[in-house]
Amino acid sequence: MGRVTVVTFGSQAPDPEVFLERLLESWVRAQTSSDRSKQTVRAKRARVLDLVEFSGHYPWEWSVADADDYFSHCRGVRNLAHNTVRNYQGAIRSFCEFACDPRYDWNTDCARLFGAVFSQIVTEWNRIPHSQPNASKPEKRVFTQWELQQLFDLADLEPERKLASGRKGALSAMRDAALFKTLYGWGLRIDEGRHLQRVDLSENAGAPQFGEYGVVRVRWGKSHRGSAKKTRSVLTVWEWTASALQNWVEFALPLYGKPLTDLFPTTGGRVVAESHALRRLRGYLDELGFAPGVDLHAFRRSYSAHLITGLGADVSFVQQQLGHAHASTTSIYTLASPDYQRESLKRLHEKTLAAAMTSRKGSTR
């Protein structure tokens, strides 16, 4: 199971580069067989080679000090985020566990060929714990209801401005407006939204008023630990979002001039790129002069926050809509918006005033 034989000729020493490559190939096969995506496997392999280059040592020569120096460099010099370094640590830890596993013969072969064995260099002492309930950047925030209305109004106006000025791009501006509304209307990540197709739309028997826009099937959900994309069904909540998507699909999308399966295509036949959507959004935000902290993911954050703080939706319902495995993840998105805080404070003041007036009337009798 994973045994490797490094051929030697006479007294010639075994080639450590060949041994390392064979080891990496075996590790890659093991990860691929456990349903890790190719992108994740490539990224993990790159981390191992990065540590080899940084430390100047082969994996069987690694020490805990090598790991300490590498992770400190990632945080202190390269200024990588906690989540990124934690992912790096997970990749190195996984590699060391594989190399040390007695069910494979890598440690035995390594001892025979190089007189050294593998060891686990990522420990509880140098590993970033996953203890923070909210690892998101503190400057990220949700849209207020007023900001969303202003943004959607400007996005709807943009195609008219393009046509009036004689410039190209009116159809793509309409597409991007529909995409932004879809991201918010169903709480989608940008990758989930831009990969939607017409077959992903269906009726909801419990809400027939939405027609075939009652359920959105997400097939490009965020993968778990590098596995295949997760799928989920998101139920339509607001009638206006269903109407906005319907208008795009039935009246504007056919203007591309050929049968299309993707909801948000480009003239080249591909789906709209995330970088393009982000540039478009940033242009609108700059024009509107909004405070920083909102991005494409803010549509998803705002969807969750507005459902819970605005409509009083149950957290478990929002958790299912967003596709979160744990309610604690959903709680990251539910920070009260300024609108909700002002309304809540107003209600508290009214209750306090009413209670004070009642008490005063009772004391004067």
Side-chain angles (χ1 to χ4, degrees):
M1 297 191 308
R3 185 175 179 84
V4 61
T5 300
V6 180
V7 179
T8 59
F9 299 91
S11 61
Q12 181 179 349
D15 188 342
E17 293 290 341
V18 173
F19 184 84
L20 176 58
E21 185 60 33
R22 298 281 179 82
L23 171 57
L24 288 172
E25 289 176 359
S26 180
W27 183 48
V28 166
R29 287 195 299 270
Q31 291 184 91
T32 303
S33 66
S34 62
D35 200 28
R36 297 293 191 270
S37 68
K38 292 182 179 179
Q39 181 179 0
T40 298
V41 173
R42 285 196 299 268
K44 287 186 173 183
R45 186 180 186 276
R47 297 285 70 76
V48 172
L49 295 176
D50 193 30
L51 180 51
V52 169
E53 181 178 357
F54 176 85
S55 65
H57 299 146
Y58 289 107
W60 51 92
E61 300 170 333
W62 284 345
S63 66
V64 174
D66 290 325
D68 293 345
D69 291 342
Y70 177 63
F71 298 138
S72 297
H73 178 81
C74 289
R75 283 291 298 143
V77 179
R78 297 171 62 183
N79 198 29
L80 299 179
H82 280 87
N83 281 350
T84 302
V85 178
R86 186 163 53 230
N87 288 336
Y88 284 13
Q89 293 173 340
I92 300 300
R93 184 182 182 88
S94 171
F95 172 80
C96 291
E97 287 177 349
F98 175 80
C100 294
D101 195 320
R103 291 170 293 186
Y104 294 86
D105 295 326
W106 294 107
N107 240 348
T108 303
D109 290 331
C110 190
R112 176 173 55 84
L113 296 170
F114 304 108
V117 294
F118 297 96
S119 63
Q120 181 58 261
I121 63 172
V122 181
T123 71
E124 66 275 15
W125 298 107
N126 61 9
R127 188 179 188 185
I128 298 176
H130 200 165
S131 58
Q132 300 181 17
N134 185 359
S136 61
K137 296 182 179 179
E139 63 269 19
K140 299 300 182 182
R141 64 178 183 88
V142 302
F143 286 106
T144 66
Q145 293 283 4
W146 179 84
E147 286 177 330
L148 278 174
Q149 188 62 61
Q150 295 296 309
L151 175 61
F152 291 153
D153 287 346
L154 180 60
D156 289 338
L157 178 64
E158 182 64 11
E160 298 180 17
R161 296 196 298 189
K162 294 282 189 182
L163 292 173
S165 64
R167 294 178 295 162
K168 297 180 180 179
L171 185 56
S172 65
M174 294 174 63
R175 176 203 60 207
D176 295 344
L179 174 61
F180 294 158
K181 294 173 186 176
T182 300
L183 295 179
Y184 172 73
W186 284 272
L188 306 181
R189 303 178 180 88
I190 178 59
D191 212 36
E192 297 172 344
R194 70 192 190 95
H195 282 102
L196 286 178
Q197 296 183 330
R198 299 196 64 166
V199 296
D200 296 323
L201 308 175
S202 61
E203 297 180 0
N204 178 4
Q209 67 271 24
F210 298 132
E212 64 176 295
Y213 300 89
V215 180
V216 172
R217 180 69 171 171
V218 175
R219 292 181 288 125
W220 282 74
K222 185 178 180 180
S223 59
H224 178 65
R225 294 183 180 179
S227 59
K229 298 290 186 181
K230 292 170 59 177
T231 61
R232 72 180 187 279
S233 294
V234 185
L235 306 180
T236 303
V237 175
W238 296 297
E239 186 173 356
W240 72 266
T241 57
S243 298
L245 185 55
Q246 180 181 9
N247 289 335
W248 165 251
V249 172
E250 298 182 6
F251 299 107
L253 186 58
L255 297 177
Y256 276 93
K258 51 186 175 181
L260 296 170
T261 56
D262 297 312
L263 290 186
F264 304 107
T266 64
T267 54
R270 300 184 178 183
V271 297
V272 62
E274 178 179 351
S275 57
H276 168 85
L278 182 58
R279 284 195 302 271
R280 177 83 73 181
L281 177 62
R282 285 175 175 171
Y284 292 156
L285 296 178
D286 290 343
E287 183 173 349
L288 291 167
F290 286 174
V294 287
D295 52 15
L296 288 171
H297 206 67
F299 291 117
R300 180 173 166 87
R301 290 193 294 266
S302 303
Y303 171 83
S304 175
H306 295 166
L307 281 183
I308 294 176
T309 62
L311 299 182
D314 187 82
V315 175
S316 60
F317 169 76
V318 179
Q319 177 186 346
Q320 292 179 341
Q321 292 282 92
L322 295 178
H324 288 155
H326 306 286
S328 59
T329 307
T330 308
S331 67
I332 297 174
Y333 293 77
T334 58
L335 296 176
S337 65
D339 287 345
Y340 179 76
Q341 290 177 315
R342 283 193 292 269
E343 290 298 321
S344 298
L345 183 60
K346 181 180 179 181
R347 287 194 295 269
L348 288 175
H349 286 168
E350 291 174 349
K351 288 182 179 179
T352 303
L353 180 60
M357 294 297 293
T358 301
S359 176
R360 184 175 181 180
K361 288 180 180 179
S363 62
T364 56
R365 289 179 182 175

